[in-house]
């Protein structure tokens, strides 16, 4: 991956597949033709090297930005520049448009999970647009949209030390009654399965909209497991 000076990178922000290192932060400018997953896998993000990935307009393949629960979250920001769509067309639970566990932000991106490749098996829970259920996380989503044709558009598991904020985001569940988890609302959130009698998980919504099928359990579905709780705030 070619590196260029910080000033040049700012001036030539449309450069594709390039990275810049300035102080402790690394920036990448990518298009849908670049291997985004390879960049995520090799960017060496850490609390001392926070990574920003700027995504040019286009459609991107699904990506995975998670780490093991015993490890730290990923220190990556994903920032859309223009019409940016991340899409999965598999439809199964294991194939969301994005798997995320971030200490960072996501801005200006549309995440879509369809099943254009075929029908979803009747015993499968169906793909979220974004699945974030892999350990402690502190993520801010801004100006994003989430759309699933199988179930809730976003599925999350929040540990007691997690906080996730959505600002000006749209959540849409377009599933029908033929799908196993069609009633799970526009967003489904549960407390972490490893937490017992824990408080502290925070979920914030500021100027967001929600669409779920008629007959769904609601727009925002929360499941508080093992005596743990989730604090939900609306701005």
């Amino acid at each position: 991956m070619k590196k260029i000076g910080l000033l040049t990178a700012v001036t030539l922000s449309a450069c594709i597949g390039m990275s810049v290192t300035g102080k402790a932060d690394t920036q990448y400018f990518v298009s849908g033709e670049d291997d985004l997953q390879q960049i995520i896998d090799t960017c060496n993000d850490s609390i001392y090297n926070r990574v920003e990935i700027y995504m040019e307009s286009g459609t991107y393949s699904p990506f995975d930005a998670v780490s093991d629960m015993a490890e730290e979250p990923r220190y990556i920001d994903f920032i859309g520049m223009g019409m940016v769509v991340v899409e999965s067309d598999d439809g199964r639970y294991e194939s969301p448009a994005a798997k995320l566990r971030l200490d960072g932000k996501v801005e200006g991106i549309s995440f879509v999970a369809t099943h254009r490749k075929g029908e979803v098996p009747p015993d499968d829970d169906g793909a979220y647009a974004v699945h974030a259920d892999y350990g402690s996380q502190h993520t801010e989503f801004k100006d994003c949209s989430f759309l699933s044709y199988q179930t809730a558009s976003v599925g999350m598991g929040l540990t007691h030390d997690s906080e996730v904020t959505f600002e000006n985001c749209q959540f849409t569940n377009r599933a029908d009654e033929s799908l196993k988890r069609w009633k799970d609302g526009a967003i489904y959130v549960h407390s972490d399965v490893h937490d017992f009698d824990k408080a502290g998980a925070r979920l914030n919504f500021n100027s967001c909209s929600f669409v779920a099928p008629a007959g769904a359990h609601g727009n925002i579905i929360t499941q508080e497991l093992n005596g743990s709780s989730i604090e939900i705030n609306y701005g």
Side-chain angles (χ1 to χ4, degrees), residues 152 154-158 181 183-192 201-205 210 217-225 228-234:
V154 174
M156 304 184 68
L158 293 183
R181 299 287 295 271
K183 289 186 176 183
D184 277 1
I187 177 171
Y188 167 71
V189 184
H190 63 79
S191 58
D192 190 79
R202 293 171 59 90
L203 182 60
N204 308 310
F205 296 101
F210 308 89
H217 297 308
N219 285 326
I220 303 172
I221 308 302
T222 59
Q223 188 174 13
E224 298 178 318
L225 307 171
S228 294
S229 61
I230 299 171
E231 177 184 336
I232 300 180
N233 303 296
Y234 300 92

Side-chain angles (χ1 to χ4, degrees), residues 73-74 100-104 130-139 141 155-159 161-164 192 202:
R74 305 301 303 270
L100 303 176
R101 182 192 171 204
L102 304 177
D103 187 330
V130 166
H131 193 183
D133 182 17
Y134 309 96
S136 178
Q137 54 191 314
H138 293 79
T139 313
F141 294 88
M156 304 184 68
L158 293 183
T159 58
D161 54 352
S162 291
E163 181 170 8
V164 177
D192 190 79
R202 293 171 59 90

Side-chain angles (χ1 to χ4, degrees), residues 72-212:
E72 295 184 55
R74 305 301 303 270
Y75 295 95
I76 304 176
D77 297 339
F78 294 93
I79 302 171
M81 299 189 299
M83 295 293 293
V84 176
V85 179
V86 180
E87 183 171 341
S88 170
D89 56 10
D90 181 271
R92 293 174 294 177
Y93 178 80
E94 292 298 327
S95 301
K99 296 180 180 180
L100 303 176
R101 182 192 171 204
L102 304 177
D103 187 330
K105 64 182 179 181
V106 182
E107 184 173 342
I109 300 175
S110 297
F111 298 91
V112 182
T114 74
H115 49 276
R116 295 177 181 173
K117 286 187 175 180
E119 297 301 318
V120 180
D123 60 343
D124 192 277
D125 289 340
Y128 303 117
V130 166
H131 193 183
D133 182 17
Y134 309 96
S136 178
Q137 54 191 314
H138 293 79
T139 313
E140 297 181 9
F141 294 88
K142 183 178 180 181
D143 299 327
C144 292
S145 65
F146 311 91
L147 169 62
S148 171
Y149 286 86
Q150 296 74 226
T151 183
S153 63
V154 174
M156 304 184 68
L158 293 183
T159 58
H160 66 280
D161 54 352
S162 291
E163 181 170 8
V164 177
T165 298
F166 295 94
E167 180 178 349
N168 193 34
C169 293
Q170 295 81 46
F171 304 83
T172 305
N173 174 352
R174 294 291 188 197
D176 59 38
E177 296 181 13
S178 68
L179 283 303
K180 179 181 177 182
R181 299 287 295 271
W182 70 277
K183 289 186 176 183
D184 277 1
I187 177 171
Y188 167 71
V189 184
H190 63 79
S191 58
D192 190 79
V193 297
H194 301 97
D195 283 344
F196 289 82
D197 300 316
K198 296 277 190 176
R202 293 171 59 90
L203 182 60
N204 308 310
F205 296 101
N206 301 316
S207 302
C208 294
S209 63
F210 308 89
V211 176

